[in-house]
Amino acid sequence: MSAPLSLAVSTVIFALRPHPGTRRPALWIPLVRRIREPHRGLWALPGGPLAPEEGLAASAARNLRETTRLAPQYLEQLYAFGGPDRSPEEAQRTVSVVYWALVRPEEAEAGADGVNVRWFVADELPDLAFDHSLIVEYALWRLRNKVEYSRIAAAFLGETFTLAELRAVHEAVLQRSLDPANFRRQMEASGRLVATEGFRTGGRHRPARLYRHDRSIHLADNGPLTGQ
Amino acid sequence: MSAPLSLAVSTVIFALRPHPGTRRPALWIPLVRRIREPHRGLWALPGGPLAPEEGLAASAARNLRETTRLAPQYLEQLYAFGGPDRSPEEAQRTVSVVYWALVRPEEAEAGADGVNVRWFVADELPDLAFDHSLIVEYALWRLRNKVEYSRIAAAFLGETFTLAELRAVHEAVLQRSLDPANFRRQMEASGRLVATEGFRTGGRHRPARLYRHDRSIHLADNGPLTGQ
DNA sequence: GCAATAGTGTCTATGAGACACTATAGA
DNA sequence: TCTATAGTGTCTCATAGACACTATTGC
């Protein structure tokens, strides 16, 4: 007897790629062009209805994979949006459970633009369908907060990386430069980094030690919900 | 064509009342006894289906009011729980958007135990229906984190209060004692408190100044979602 | 040698916490 | 006068940030 109401799962997917203007690393997100009303022609977050036997996070991972051919390095629930005025009057009311995900640049390359998929610089988006502009804004806020007190930045990098590379991730996300000496000490003091025997050579300078992350520690502490 | 799936909104409601053993302030939550299968007879979080024209937060506030006759001083979305195995096999699959709320003690008195409603000490709950034990654990974790970096503790107090009263709230939530001198300085330095002209007299000691909170500042900073 | 980045040393400002001290009401 | 709590002063320690300095590579 309940009114028509559909439940969808959408995902804000972040990758780091060079900004087309400055060539410095910047946050990008993939959007999907709507091919149906409402908001036909506008760009929207990838997503779709929840499958009957599927968990919410699994649904986010699946539609992420289907629209961008990517698998996330990090995936976390963002928020459930369900106001009765999210869609135009004539459309069915939809509650969206939104996730946010981080993917590696190699993966972002593999999942290049498709027919109705295009990557955009996250801070330079057009107007999006529904309330998706607000959703992206909130996801950016969460990412920028969380990168300061967790190690989610690791999700943008490969297995091993130099401190300069890790610092570049933080700088790109936070949009400000960080002191190399202090950044090094903070990371070393955090106890979340493990020094490897390897070095990155090739630059016109002293080689940099490669680090990896302590795999026994989760990327982010979500308390009792870890693993949900 | 979608499978049967219902959307419910539930709320974890916190109030501060004296612990029956120690008489010191402790966190309490109201639970509702299930009168239907599944889990008939077990205690569960108050909640119910989302009404057709109602926002998610409005639904949380409504069923809070209906089950406990209380209005929340603070209300925030906690998480959306939607695993396919949350309910027993034979039951309909349900996705629950869960909120958490803080209410004042006077209000908690007014909303005393009803026929199928009972208040419990939050850290001494029986086994709950569905995954509600995990949900309460997560809500407690969020509350204890958030009380340290926001001013949500204010939601447990009246319009004006002494620093000792505010400190007692923090101590009850965090379950440890805090240095009065340092607590005072932290609160004063936060810029979120406003000294009033009033004093609380009656104790066998020097009267304590009454403070109120700066109403121009939100109880918690939720970034772009403030007010959603 | 020079340019560039890796990595270290160290000073200062800030905030948390411990704890001694003074102030003032009620009994 | 005594006790209890309000409220102040101050010391120590840990951490963030600024910035000078040394180390090592490619050219």
Side-chain angles (χ1 to χ4, degrees):
Chain A
M1 286 309 300
S2 61
L5 184 151
S6 74
L7 186 80
V9 177
S10 298
T11 312
V12 185
I13 303 159
F14 292 106
L16 272 188
R17 300 161 75 180
H19 188 284
T22 65
R23 309 305 307 161
R24 299 160 67 94
L27 289 167
W28 293 68
I29 69 172
L31 297 173
V32 177
R33 193 192 290 276
R34 283 190 62 79
I35 54 175
R36 281 186 295 191
E37 295 296 345
H39 298 312
R40 180 173 170 177
L42 284 186
W43 295 95
L45 293 170
L50 180 66
E53 294 299 326
E54 195 173 46
L56 295 172
S59 178
R62 175 179 55 78
N63 77 52
L64 187 158
R65 193 167 56 247
E66 287 174 0
T67 50
T68 66
R69 294 194 303 256
L70 301 178
Q73 290 298 120
Y74 182 75
L75 181 67
E76 182 189 313
Q77 191 181 108
L78 180 67
Y79 202 76
F81 295 84
D85 52 348
R86 300 183 63 225
S87 297
E89 284 274 332
E90 64 279 12
Q92 186 184 35
R93 179 173 176 192
T94 299
V95 171
S96 292
V97 178
V98 180
Y99 280 74
W100 60 290
L102 307 182
V103 298
R104 291 186 184 163
E106 319 89 81
E107 296 171 325
E109 289 302 326
D113 291 359
V115 184
N116 284 310
V117 178
R118 189 190 296 174
W119 286 79
F120 294 83
V121 175
D123 289 299
E124 301 166 7
L125 299 182
D127 277 343
L128 305 186
F130 307 108
D131 52 0
H132 291 192
S133 293
L134 172 69
I135 293 175
V136 171
E137 196 187 344
Y138 182 49
L140 273 167
W141 182 82
R142 273 272 277 274
L143 168 60
R144 288 182 167 136
N145 273 306
K146 204 144 191 168
V147 84
E148 299 205 83
Y149 66 86
S150 76
R151 19 165 300 214
I152 53 169
F156 284 123
L157 295 170
E159 177 67 13
T160 60
F161 46 85
T162 67
L163 281 169
E165 289 162 357
L166 183 60
R167 180 165 49 86
V169 173
H170 282 248
E171 289 180 337
V173 171
L174 297 176
Q175 297 182 297
R176 62 189 171 91
S177 60
L178 301 170
D179 182 285
N182 297 330
F183 182 81
R184 165 185 302 274
R185 265 183 298 255
Q186 279 170 26
M187 290 301 118
E188 284 171 345
S190 75
R192 300 179 298 214
L193 287 185
V194 179
T196 71
E197 295 305 307
F199 287 85
R200 177 91 73 219
T201 55
R204 301 174 47 172
H205 51 78
R206 178 171 167 179
R209 181 173 292 278
L210 290 171
Y211 291 81
R212 63 174 177 77
H213 274 287
D214 183 346
R215 295 182 199 89
S216 68
I217 306 174
H218 248 75
L219 285 187
D221 177 17
N222 293 309
L225 245 50
T226 303
Q228 286 289 304
Chain B
M1 283 304 298
S2 61
L5 183 150
S6 73
L7 185 79
V9 176
S10 298
T11 311
V12 184
I13 303 159
F14 292 107
L16 272 188
R17 298 162 77 181
H19 189 283
T22 65
R23 309 307 305 164
R24 299 160 67 92
L27 290 166
W28 293 67
I29 69 173
L31 297 173
V32 177
R33 192 193 291 275
R34 284 190 61 78
I35 54 175
R36 280 186 297 193
E37 296 295 346
H39 298 311
R40 180 173 168 176
L42 285 186
W43 295 96
L45 293 171
L50 180 65
E53 294 298 326
E54 195 172 45
L56 295 172
S59 178
R62 176 179 55 80
N63 76 54
L64 188 158
R65 194 169 54 246
E66 287 174 359
T67 51
T68 67
R69 297 193 303 255
L70 300 178
Q73 290 298 121
Y74 182 74
L75 182 66
E76 181 189 312
Q77 191 181 107
L78 180 68
Y79 201 76
F81 295 85
D85 51 350
R86 299 181 65 224
S87 297
E89 284 274 333
E90 64 279 13
Q92 185 185 37
R93 180 173 176 193
T94 300
V95 171
S96 292
V97 178
V98 180
Y99 280 74
W100 59 290
L102 307 183
V103 298
R104 291 185 184 165
E106 319 88 83
E107 295 171 325
E109 288 304 324
D113 291 1
V115 185
N116 285 308
V117 178
R118 190 189 297 172
W119 286 80
F120 293 83
V121 175
D123 289 299
E124 302 166 6
L125 298 183
D127 278 343
L128 305 187
F130 308 108
D131 52 1
H132 291 191
S133 293
L134 172 69
I135 293 175
V136 172
E137 196 187 344
Y138 182 48
L140 272 167
W141 183 82
R142 274 271 277 274
L143 168 59
R144 289 183 166 133
N145 274 306
K146 204 144 190 169
V147 85
E148 299 207 83
Y149 65 84
S150 76
R151 20 164 298 210
I152 53 168
F156 284 122
L157 296 170
E159 178 67 12
T160 61
F161 47 84
T162 67
L163 282 168
E165 289 162 358
L166 184 60
R167 179 164 50 86
V169 173
H170 282 249
E171 289 180 337
V173 172
L174 298 176
Q175 296 183 297
R176 62 190 171 91
S177 59
L178 301 170
D179 184 284
N182 296 330
F183 182 80
R184 165 184 301 273
R185 266 184 297 257
Q186 280 170 27
M187 289 302 116
E188 283 172 345
S190 74
R192 301 179 297 212
L193 287 186
V194 179
T196 70
E197 295 305 306
F199 287 85
R200 176 91 73 220
T201 56
R204 300 175 45 169
H205 51 77
R206 178 171 169 179
R209 182 174 291 278
L210 290 170
Y211 291 81
R212 62 174 177 78
H213 272 101
D214 184 345
R215 296 184 199 87
S216 68
I217 307 173
H218 247 75
L219 285 186
D221 177 17
N222 293 308
L225 245 49
T226 303
Q228 285 290 303

